[in-house]
């Protein structure tokens, strides 16, 4: 969908709920049929993550997941319209606002659950903190260009994780009450190194990068995610800030697993990485 300018234009032209539904239908009835390897990989991973479920229920989850992923892609054209209490309900809004109003820099951590672009846009609209996002552009140049255009209205302040990024981010976090938004379940070589899912893994990739940034900048870590409730409607869940200055890595990892990792399992029907990893090949140790 992102590589098709006409489809993207169509999603922008339609009302946001209709565009979301259309994206879900196209994904379940068209994209799924052409992505048999990803569908099979998701089925295998789901069996490992939820062995307690009967086959029929897992198949229902997989079907809902294709619908939800399609919705997320279609919703990208309408992010600015979805940043609204009509579509996003914050769990404990008073407590969340208290976190946003805290002094000092803050790093907001998330995973690819629900709609991560809407999450970034909603965060930016909810606070006066100077924002910055970290992202890795897709390898497909057409998709990368379309994604950049789509995000321009709500994510101008973004940086790729390439060379020199750490210094630029540290300069940003030195600003008064600056914030950083980063996804920590990136996929590399058909694997995720977070969530750990009980595997003996040390921090790597975006998570290791984030922990180093937090300790050098004095920033607190605030995990949060959007859980899709129905259609283009979401609940925003957040975890109290974690201070790496007083909490060691093992405790931080446990808290992140218990909150964000569990969210990936609880909302596996809306988690992108399920079809982009291979949990049948376990990994261990530092990578």
């Amino acid at each position: 969908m992102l590589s098709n300018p006409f489809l993207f234009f169509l999603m922008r032209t339609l009302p946001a709920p209709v565009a979301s539904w259309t994206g879900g239908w196209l994904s379940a009835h068209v994209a799924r049929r052409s992505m048999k390897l990803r569908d099979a990989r998701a089925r295998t991973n789901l069996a490992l993550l939820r062995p307690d479920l009967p086959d029929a229920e897992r198949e229902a989850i997989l079907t809902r997941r294709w619908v939800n992923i399609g919705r997320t892609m279609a919703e990208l054209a309408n992010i600015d319209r979805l940043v609204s209490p009509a579509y996003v309900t914050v769990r404990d809004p008073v407590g969340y606002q208290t976190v946003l109003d805290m002094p000092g820099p803050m790093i907001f951590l998330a995973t690819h659950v629900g709609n991560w672009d809407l999450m970034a846009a909603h965060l930016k609209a909810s606070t006066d903190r100077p924002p910055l996002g970290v992202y890795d552009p897709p390898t497909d140049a057409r998709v990368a260009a379309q994604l950049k255009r789509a995000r321009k209205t709500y994510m101008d302040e973004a940086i790729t994780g390439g060379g020199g990024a750490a210094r630029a981010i540290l300069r940003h976090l030195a600003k008064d009450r600056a914030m950083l938004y980063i996804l920590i379940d990136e996929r590399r070589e058909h694997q995720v190194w977070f969530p750990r899912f009980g595997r003996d893994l040390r921090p790597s990739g975006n998570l290791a990068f984030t922990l180093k940034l937090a300790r050098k900048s004095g920033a607190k870590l605030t995990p949060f995610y959007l859980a899709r409730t129905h259609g283009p409607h979401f609940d925003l869940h957040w975890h109290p800030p974690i201070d790496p200055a007083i909490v060691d890595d093992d405790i931080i990892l446990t808290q992140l697993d218990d909150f964000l990792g569990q969210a990936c399992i609880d909302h596996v029907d809306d988690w992108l990485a399920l079809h982009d990893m291979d949990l049948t090949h376990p990994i261990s140790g530092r990578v």
Side-chain angles (χ1 to χ4, degrees):
M1 193 175 301
L2 282 176
S3 60
N4 188 317
F6 172 75
L7 275 180
F8 189 86
F9 172 79
L10 176 63
M11 296 305 138
R12 180 64 184 179
T13 303
L14 294 172
V18 177
S20 177
W21 181 90
T22 303
W25 189 92
L26 288 172
S27 177
H29 293 86
V30 179
R32 185 178 190 179
R33 295 175 181 174
S34 65
M35 297 183 179
K36 296 185 183 301
L37 177 60
R38 288 185 171 183
D39 192 44
R41 190 182 294 137
R43 181 174 292 101
T44 299
N45 290 331
L46 181 59
L48 291 173
L49 293 175
R50 293 300 310 270
D52 55 306
L53 299 178
D55 291 345
E57 189 168 348
R58 285 201 294 268
E59 283 300 314
I61 288 174
L62 289 174
T63 298
R64 286 200 309 272
R65 183 178 174 278
W66 279 102
V67 171
N68 288 338
I69 295 302
R71 282 184 175 275
T72 299
M73 297 298 104
E75 288 159 1
L76 188 60
N78 293 286
I79 292 295
D80 56 327
R81 298 170 179 170
L82 298 177
V83 181
S84 161
Y87 295 105
V88 179
T89 301
V90 179
R91 294 292 186 95
D92 184 8
V94 175
Y96 183 61
Q97 191 60 50
T98 299
V99 170
L100 296 179
D101 293 341
M102 290 175 63
M106 189 167 292
I107 301 175
F108 289 82
L109 307 178
T111 56
H112 290 82
V113 168
N115 190 316
W116 44 96
D117 281 283
L118 177 56
M119 193 158 47
H122 188 275
L123 174 63
K124 179 180 177 180
S126 300
T127 180
D128 61 352
R129 288 175 174 271
L132 183 67
V134 178
Y135 75 101
D136 292 319
T139 54
D140 187 309
R142 291 185 305 165
V143 173
Q146 184 77 338
L147 191 58
K148 185 176 181 179
R149 286 194 294 269
R151 288 174 168 169
K152 189 171 180 58
T153 59
Y154 58 91
M155 198 176 172
D156 280 345
E157 305 86 356
I159 188 171
T160 63
R167 290 189 295 274
I169 293 171
L170 285 172
R171 287 195 298 270
H172 171 77
L173 290 174
K175 300 176 184 177
D176 184 37
R177 298 179 64 249
M179 70 176 180
L180 180 73
Y181 171 77
I182 188 167
L183 294 155
I184 59 174
D185 63 336
E186 80 273 23
R187 284 88 66 207
R188 306 192 308 275
E189 299 176 358
H190 297 302
Q191 274 294 1
V192 289
W193 277 258
F194 181 87
R196 294 183 296 176
F197 299 130
R199 299 171 296 176
D200 181 21
L201 301 176
R202 301 308 303 163
S204 70
N206 284 357
L207 180 54
F209 181 59
T210 299
L211 292 175
K212 291 177 182 177
L213 287 173
R215 296 194 188 283
K216 288 184 177 181
S217 66
K220 293 182 176 64
L221 306 174
T222 298
F224 73 143
Y225 65 92
L226 282 183
R228 190 183 299 274
T229 54
H230 61 284
H233 299 268
F234 302 84
D235 281 350
L236 190 154
H237 300 254
W238 57 276
H239 186 284
I242 304 167
D243 189 350
I246 58 176
V247 181
D248 66 31
D249 283 0
D250 287 339
I251 295 177
I252 292 174
L253 290 176
T254 298
Q255 292 181 349
L256 293 180
D257 268 325
D258 289 346
F259 184 70
L260 290 178
Q262 189 60 46
C264 292
I265 295 176
D266 292 343
H267 304 283
V268 71
D269 62 345
D270 216 3
W271 182 39
L272 179 65
L274 187 69
H275 70 206
D276 282 334
M277 61 180 181
D278 185 355
L279 291 177
T280 63
H281 291 85
I283 52 178
S284 62
R286 185 181 299 274
V287 293

